Amino acid sequence: MARYTIELRNIISMFGEETVKSWFTDYELTDYLTDDEIAVITARGTWNKDKLAQAIIDHYYMYEIGFETPALFKHQAKVLMRELMEEKLPLIYSAAIEYDPLVNVDYSETYSGTNSGQSQSSSTSNGSGLTVNSDTPQGQISKTAILGGSYASSTGANETTNTITDGSSNSGTQAYTKTVRGNSGVSATAQKMIEQYRQNIIMINRDIIKDMGSLFMIVY
């Protein structure tokens, strides 16, 4: 039986449970978190606004509100929830991230490279020859006479041209990925990491419910 104001259960009887729950869910996750962070919480599936609101109602079901009228209680409930969730939602997000508490090193190193080479060589050789047979003694033949064909009983000539071109090319790629994952043992031992993990397991809903106590007369 209420002594000073009215118990929460009576307000629920007056307005309906869903309506009263809506007073404790009147905030938007997008006001405090990014879409990616909200997706992490949703994928984990361990927390949502309705579960928290139900827990608040169940906890304070028999408590008297700390305000003169239900309207004032409704207003203050909405204000306090928004103030609390600005602090608590980032904690809820961090608690929803899945990770291995025994791993403090996890990275990959990828290397890739391309090498290529090309070589080319070219050579050309030319040759020419002139053969003259003459019955005239060599000493009586001048160069001019030979070129003019004088005294020649027979002549022969040849010209040759050789061209050699060599070329080669090569190319290749190489790549590797180095992955390191585990406990380096430098920053902390496995036992210390487990201890730190346990300290990070915060019962966030319980803390929020406790903070909501300022809305009620803690006289039972």
Side-chain angles (χ1 to χ4, degrees):
M1 179 181 294
R3 295 184 179 182
Y4 304 100
T5 57
I6 184 175
E7 293 178 353
L8 181 60
R9 60 175 177 167
N10 298 125
I11 293 179
I12 293 173
S13 297
M14 293 168 56
F15 295 94
E17 183 172 308
E18 291 302 317
T19 298
V20 176
K21 280 177 61 176
S22 69
W23 302 346
F24 298 100
T25 59
D26 189 26
Y27 56 90
E28 296 296 332
L29 300 183
T30 52
D31 290 339
Y32 313 104
L33 300 174
T34 66
D35 291 340
D36 291 340
E37 291 170 338
I38 295 172
V40 171
I41 295 175
T42 303
R44 188 66 181 269
T46 57
W47 183 93
N48 62 54
K49 294 164 61 174
D50 290 334
K51 287 181 180 180
L52 175 59
Q54 187 64 56
I56 294 171
I57 289 176
D58 292 343
H59 183 85
Y60 292 105
Y61 188 75
M62 301 289 292
Y63 284 76
E64 294 182 44
I65 64 174
F67 301 91
E68 295 178 0
T69 65
L72 286 175
F73 174 78
K74 170 185 175 181
H75 173 74
Q76 289 303 120
K78 291 182 177 182
V79 171
L80 183 57
M81 284 301 299
R82 291 168 187 166
E83 292 174 350
L84 287 175
M85 299 318 289
E86 183 176 5
E87 173 190 356
K88 302 300 184 181
L89 273 172
L91 295 177
I92 293 170
Y93 160 69
S94 63
I97 299 174
E98 295 187 17
Y99 68 97
D100 189 338
L102 294 179
V103 172
N104 65 358
V105 177
D106 188 0
Y107 71 91
S108 295
E109 181 182 86
T110 301
Y111 168 82
S112 62
T114 301
N115 57 69
S116 62
Q118 185 173 359
S119 64
Q120 185 171 352
S121 63
S122 176
S123 63
T124 302
S125 62
N126 297 311
S128 63
L130 175 63
T131 303
V132 178
N133 296 317
S134 176
D135 296 331
T136 304
Q138 184 176 359
Q140 298 180 7
I141 301 176
S142 65
K143 180 179 180 181
T144 302
I146 293 173
L147 294 176
S150 301
Y151 309 112
S153 59
S154 64
T155 61
N158 64 80
E159 292 187 5
T160 61
T161 300
N162 295 319
T163 301
I164 301 174
T165 302
D166 293 325
S168 64
S169 62
N170 61 80
S171 63
T173 59
Q174 55 182 349
Y176 76 86
T177 300
K178 176 184 177 182
T179 301
V180 179
R181 188 174 189 273
N183 180 9
S184 66
V186 176
S187 60
T189 63
Q191 292 80 3
K192 185 65 176 179
M193 292 171 65
I194 292 175
E195 180 182 349
Q196 292 173 349
Y197 175 70
R198 289 172 177 170
Q199 291 174 352
N200 290 334
I201 301 176
I202 303 172
M203 297 183 65
I204 302 172
N205 278 5
R206 183 191 62 184
D207 292 343
I208 295 173
I209 292 170
K210 182 179 179 181
D211 291 336
M212 296 299 291
S214 61
L215 297 175
F216 299 90
M217 298 186 67
I218 311 300
V219 178
Y220 187 74

